[in-house]
Amino acid sequence: LRSSPLDSYKRLRLTFGRDIKSAANRGLLGENFRASLDFLSVLTREPLISAVPGKDYFAFSDGKKFSRAVNADLFGDNIAEWIAFEKSIKSRKLLKAFGPDRLTRLIYSVAISFCCYIDLTSSGDQKTPGTFFEYLIAHMFAWRLNVNPTTRIQVLNLDMKTFLTTDFIFDLGNERPKFHLPVKTSTRERVIQVWAHQRVLDGVFGTGRFLGTPVILTETKTDKTRKIVTEICLPAQWRIYQMHIAQLKRIYYLDMPVTYEKLNRVFPPLHVKPFGEFFFEADALSV
Amino acid sequence: LRSSPLDSYKRLRLTFGRDIKSAANRGLLGENFRASLDFLSVLTREPLISAVPGKDYFAFSDGKKFSRAVNADLFGDNIAEWIAFEKSIKSRKLLKAFGPDRLTRLIYSVAISFCCYIDLTSSGDQKTPGTFFEYLIAHMFAWRLNVNPTTRIQVLNLDMKTFLTTDFIFDLGNERPKFHLPVKTSTRERVIQVWAHQRVLDGVFGTGRFLGTPVILTETKTDKTRKIVTEICLPAQWRIYQMHIAQLKRIYYLDMPVTYEKLNRVFPPLHVKPFGEFFFEADALSV
């Protein structure tokens, strides 16, 4: 009897918050990946026309419905890769051998598998994939930093005493940085919110106290009639936000847009990287 | 033969940008109001349970579908009111006699009528009501200021030369203010974008050069099963945004949330007003 990806998703909804970095959560994420791959294994892969240089995309289809675009080079449908990852986390040396690229591909595959499952079994549900992606990234971040996040912090400012609802905040302790982690399946023009939240944290608590490190799945958009995949990128606006709203420390992608890669190489640089890199530079960011 | 509200909407889409403040645009908005009222006149008004103190709401229904919530006290289904407004704009004295409250109610009625028409004739189309509301508010603003808006401005900053896509910008000329007008049918947690855009304008061009004056239709949310209307308000967050991101000059509502009214009376105040007030304080804001 095959299990549905919704089984592990529902259990995550119930228990995720208890101990976000826990092996129990990682187990449920792995179960979800296995069940999603099972579901997708019997579907056809319809090629899409990629307008993105150097990237190929396809969509899963049951003959009637189509999933969102899947990056062919990043997607791996082998559960053995998850098992290999589970083994690699036993030591720093093993994780280093696993490496950032395999990690990016694996996390991309886990995320996009469940997204495609929802695309094909529901009508227009954007919330469930978004919530699952939050679970996945928040767990990975918490596991790496070995601290659980909060999602609201108290503001004490003269006569004001209020709670600020935030994205995930990881507090590494006194005189150490706090990470500010927004998690989005895609951003487009809504990305300005990420800089605005960073600005609020800088304003309330002081610049440099929170490291803004958003994690985004992809910026692809598929024209459903013509089957063309494009990436919606706003590099000039990003540079203006980084200069005039707040400074983000890193912007991590699972499916890294070609256009944003170039922002690493202009001055002042904006550091946009594949998410797998985080696991190897996290300590350097925290000093 | 009755005309459809879509006739005038489609003509607005084609010709709106030619001269945003024009009498021709106002004529199309009036035609739209007439056609929407015609459509709504044969529908029933289903009472909703209002969780908002002092406000009553209903929804239009054709027996199957339900429109969004309509504020019973603000909604007027009489085209004569539009005709009276058209007459009143012939002089300052007549407009003053018409007054801010009638103006707020009239503009609310024009906006909500077309929104309800779309709610009942399409499935989940949020874009068309949003675009129409932008036409309506941008026209009224442009007419009052007697200048047409732009939606992008050039940034020249050392080695950067880029265009910034913005909400509506009204430039009153040298050594006079520019108005920054975001237009939203509702904002909820996305409102932080408005402050972030203001911050960018302040940063690029200098603080105080642009007066941020967003116009929002309503913040109501209807629980469709239980038929309960609530207002989603975040007054504590708004105060933090106003202190730490940027300063908005005014926030105008057509259906003003009860909770935000109080922000006018705390220190530092945040000026949240019914949209009708704009037409009588615009000159005072511009000096």
Side-chain angles (χ1 to χ4, degrees), chain B residues 213-286:
Chain B
T213 53
V215 177
I216 307 159
L217 179 53
T218 177
E219 299 293 359
T220 55
K221 186 186 175 180
T222 308
D223 179 315
K224 291 200 175 154
T225 331
R226 298 188 299 154
K227 309 278 178 204
I228 297 177
V229 181
T230 49
E231 281 179 340
I232 311 288
C233 294
L234 311 158
Q237 274 88 328
W238 278 32
R239 297 190 70 197
I240 288 173
Y241 302 160
Q242 181 81 353
M243 288 182 200
H244 291 291
I245 303 179
Q247 298 267 306
L248 297 178
K249 187 75 178 177
R250 290 285 185 277
I251 298 164
Y252 292 113
Y253 272 100
L254 275 309
D255 181 9
M256 172 109 170
V258 175
T259 312
Y260 290 148
E261 205 283 323
K262 294 171 195 154
L263 293 175
N264 292 288
R265 289 176 276 119
V266 295
F267 188 86
L270 220 164
H271 297 289
V272 191
K273 298 191 172 189
F275 182 48
E277 303 281 347
F278 167 71
F279 297 87
F280 302 91
E281 68 179 6
D283 294 331
L285 297 178
S286 325

Side-chain angles (χ1 to χ4, degrees), chain B residues 139-242:
Chain B
H139 164 74
M140 294 298 292
F141 231 83
W143 163 72
R144 177 59 184 83
L145 297 175
N146 199 30
V147 61
N148 283 326
T150 56
T151 54
R152 52 181 233 157
I153 40 178
Q154 201 173 9
V155 178
L156 291 167
N157 178 3
L158 303 173
D159 56 341
M160 292 180 74
K161 188 176 170 177
T162 179
F163 280 93
L164 195 62
T165 306
T166 64
D167 303 290
F168 297 104
I169 298 288
F170 298 82
D171 186 349
L172 301 190
N174 285 347
E175 302 186 350
R176 299 202 60 208
K178 297 170 205 334
F179 281 87
H180 163 225
L181 171 68
V183 180
K184 314 271 179 196
T185 53
S186 76
T187 69
R188 306 202 188 155
E189 73 291 345
R190 288 169 289 119
V191 76
I192 196 171
Q193 287 183 21
V194 173
W195 271 276
H197 282 127
Q198 182 66 37
R199 170 90 205 165
V200 170
L201 293 172
D202 289 353
V204 172
F205 300 103
T207 302
R209 300 259 281 164
F210 286 78
L211 306 179
T213 53
V215 177
I216 307 159
L217 179 53
T218 177
E219 299 293 359
T220 55
K221 186 186 175 180
T222 308
D223 179 315
K224 291 200 175 154
T225 331
R226 298 188 299 154
K227 309 278 178 204
I228 297 177
V229 181
T230 49
E231 281 179 340
I232 311 288
C233 294
L234 311 158
Q237 274 88 328
W238 278 32
R239 297 190 70 197
I240 288 173
Y241 302 160
Q242 181 81 353

Side-chain angles (χ1 to χ4, degrees), chain A residues 99-119:
Chain A
D101 293 351
R102 273 176 84 188
L103 211 39
T104 301
R105 290 163 51 94
L106 176 63
I107 305 302
Y108 176 80
S109 302
V110 175
I112 208 83
S113 298
F114 184 71
C115 290
C116 290
Y117 165 76
I118 295 293
D119 292 344

Side-chain angles (χ1 to χ4, degrees), chain A residues 67-79:
Chain A
S67 76
R68 65 192 65 198
V70 180
N71 183 315
D73 291 329
L74 287 174
F75 182 71
D77 60 357
N78 195 343
I79 192 71

Side-chain angles (χ1 to χ4, degrees), chain A residues 87-96:
Chain A
K87 278 181 192 153
S88 80
I89 67 177
K90 295 205 161 66
S91 81
R92 243 161 220 252
K93 203 176 152 192
L94 286 170
L95 189 68
K96 200 174 171 190

